[in-house]
Amino acid sequence: MSDASLGLHAARLPSPYATALARGTTPQVATTLFAPETQSDVITLRCMRKTLHTLPLPLAVAAHGATLHFRERDAQRAITNASLPMSAISATIDATTDLLLEYGALHHRAIETRLVTSRRPVVAVRLALKLAWERGILTYVNSSGCWNREHRTFAVTARQHPGLDMKPDRGTATGELIATYFDRYGPATLKDAMWWSGLSRTAILAAMTESRGEWVRVLAPWSPSPMFMYRQRWEEFQASAPEQRSSGLNFLAHEDVALKAYFETRSRYLSSLPPRQAFNQIGEVLPTIIWDGQVIGTWSWQGASKRVVYSLARGRSTTKLRKAVGTHAATLSEALRLGWSSTPRYAAEDQLALL
């Protein structure tokens, strides 16, 4: 599922769980995200647009390698701004790695407690931890077992995921990532791909040129620019029956890739609907209600009542559809309760502030 959707957006705790619910056949599919066997097959890292995604290991390597340069640059800039020598940061990374190899996954406060000294300030430990995570030396592990609470720890990637290559060739990684994007979400424009990935037009064009797949240019009334997709996918679409093209009713998660994958061609699912009906003031995709690929409203989870509430856009639904939305909301409420914990999540100040 994480592979088919090109990752689960994980910047907000409920998103991976809600994304799995939108694509799974039973609510239990989402609860498998907490299972050890699932967590051994996926990894959560910052990648596209510097945001958290949970990805299957092979795809994670591509996303990591393609986006490492601008994430590493930001981490190094923070070190420079703190007037810390890179030698001190490197030594702290080594000390952190040794510590985690000895004790296993630890919360960042526990790491600070053990490593901070009069000659190694807290800021050095935090910046070293950030750089090591961005480089893939360390990995993030959330062992809370529910979607509304976080127990953020860090572990050594090589121990958590033995054999995982976190130093792929940048060009190869970019090629794999962009090929996967167009395979999953084509037809899309170059600007769509740039928006989703955070990569430059030059990098994307180079990846497309090197791709072994055959490209098809697609024109549509909802796209001001030509779109691209693989010929194989175009032929599959042409061969499909009309009923196979209907996606039905779906409640998508916050920043769901099904919508986040596009920028220039957002009218494909917005039509005449104002963008603020589906996006917040900083451009994040809201939890949306989709009917056959079109946004018809938004939804949210009410923690106090432990149920889903929703709002439908004017003129976008019928009596029959509104009834279906109400039924779906009730079903989704039950599914979300399966992964809900009444224990408060970790306070924001108890998380790594620099991440």
Side-chain angles (χ1 to χ4, degrees):
M1 181 182 301
S2 178
D3 181 73
S5 64
L6 221 169
L8 309 177
H9 202 280
R12 297 196 181 190
L13 293 179
S15 291
Y17 192 88
T19 302
L21 288 176
R23 291 160 174 77
T25 54
T26 66
Q28 285 70 31
V29 170
T31 61
T32 63
L33 291 174
F34 310 130
E37 54 270 24
T38 299
Q39 294 189 3
S40 66
D41 291 335
V42 299
I43 187 171
T44 299
L45 68 161
R46 290 209 314 160
C47 44
M48 287 74 73
R49 298 187 63 80
K50 305 178 188 178
T51 55
L52 281 177
H53 287 73
T54 298
L55 298 151
L57 298 182
L59 187 53
V61 170
H64 169 74
T67 62
L68 173 61
H69 58 288
F70 52 73
R71 294 183 288 108
E72 185 176 44
R73 178 196 61 208
D74 290 349
Q76 291 175 330
R77 182 184 297 118
I79 293 168
T80 299
N81 291 341
S83 300
L84 291 168
M86 189 56 67
S87 58
I89 296 298
S90 297
T92 304
I93 290 175
D94 291 340
T96 302
T97 302
D98 291 342
L99 179 69
L100 296 177
L101 286 174
E102 180 177 358
Y103 291 97
L106 292 174
H107 190 266
H108 80 94
R109 296 294 188 198
I111 296 172
E112 292 171 13
T113 298
R114 289 169 171 80
L115 295 185
V116 170
T117 65
S118 58
R119 303 179 67 178
R120 182 187 285 149
V122 171
V123 65
V125 177
R126 291 184 176 180
L127 290 175
L129 186 57
K130 178 177 176 59
L131 181 60
W133 183 40
E134 297 290 15
R135 286 179 171 174
I137 299 169
L138 304 182
T139 186
Y140 158 98
V141 180
N142 179 14
S143 57
S144 70
C146 61
W147 62 259
N148 64 306
R149 186 183 64 192
E150 181 182 42
H151 182 202
R152 177 180 293 191
T153 61
F154 291 89
V156 177
T157 304
R159 171 173 287 183
Q160 192 77 11
H161 303 287
L164 188 65
D165 178 15
M166 295 301 280
K167 295 182 179 181
D169 173 75
R170 178 176 164 184
T172 301
T174 300
E176 292 178 3
L177 183 66
I178 295 305
T180 305
Y181 167 77
F182 280 104
D183 179 68
R184 304 292 195 274
Y185 293 102
T189 67
L190 292 177
K191 287 184 178 179
D192 287 334
M194 291 168 62
W195 163 260
W196 171 79
S197 66
L199 299 175
S200 69
R201 180 187 179 91
T202 300
I204 292 169
L205 282 172
M208 294 175 68
T209 301
E210 293 295 323
S211 173
R212 288 178 287 183
E214 184 179 354
W215 294 100
V216 172
R217 289 167 61 96
V218 179
L219 301 178
W222 33 262
S223 176
S225 306
M227 298 176 292
F228 301 89
M229 67 186 302
Y230 284 114
R231 178 172 294 279
Q232 179 183 350
R233 291 300 191 189
W234 171 246
E235 292 175 348
E236 289 175 358
F237 172 77
Q238 287 184 307
S240 63
E243 57 270 17
Q244 292 177 302
R245 302 172 189 173
S246 174
S247 58
L249 180 64
N250 291 282
F251 280 50
L252 300 184
H254 181 94
E255 292 278 75
D256 195 294
V257 181
L259 303 188
K260 191 69 173 180
Y262 309 106
F263 177 76
E264 187 176 26
T265 63
R266 285 175 177 174
S267 61
R268 69 172 74 203
Y269 56 77
L270 285 175
S271 188
S272 60
L273 202 65
R276 285 300 297 271
Q277 290 281 336
F279 297 85
N280 64 18
Q281 66 273 18
I282 61 173
E284 295 176 327
V285 184
L286 300 170
T288 54
I289 304 173
I290 303 291
W291 170 252
D292 276 350
Q294 295 290 297
V295 174
I296 64 170
T298 58
W299 66 276
S300 62
W301 170 260
Q302 299 296 307
S305 60
K306 296 183 179 60
R307 68 185 183 93
V308 167
V309 296
Y310 58 89
S311 174
L312 298 179
R314 183 176 300 177
R316 284 295 181 99
S317 63
T318 62
T319 300
K320 182 178 180 180
L321 185 53
R322 286 193 292 272
K323 182 178 180 181
V325 168
T327 300
H328 196 114
T331 301
L332 180 58
S333 295
E334 294 179 4
L336 287 168
R337 291 185 197 113
L338 289 177
W340 170 272
S341 172
S342 57
T343 304
R345 59 173 288 188
Y346 280 76
E349 62 270 20
D350 199 33
Q351 299 175 13
L352 186 54
L354 296 174
L355 294 184

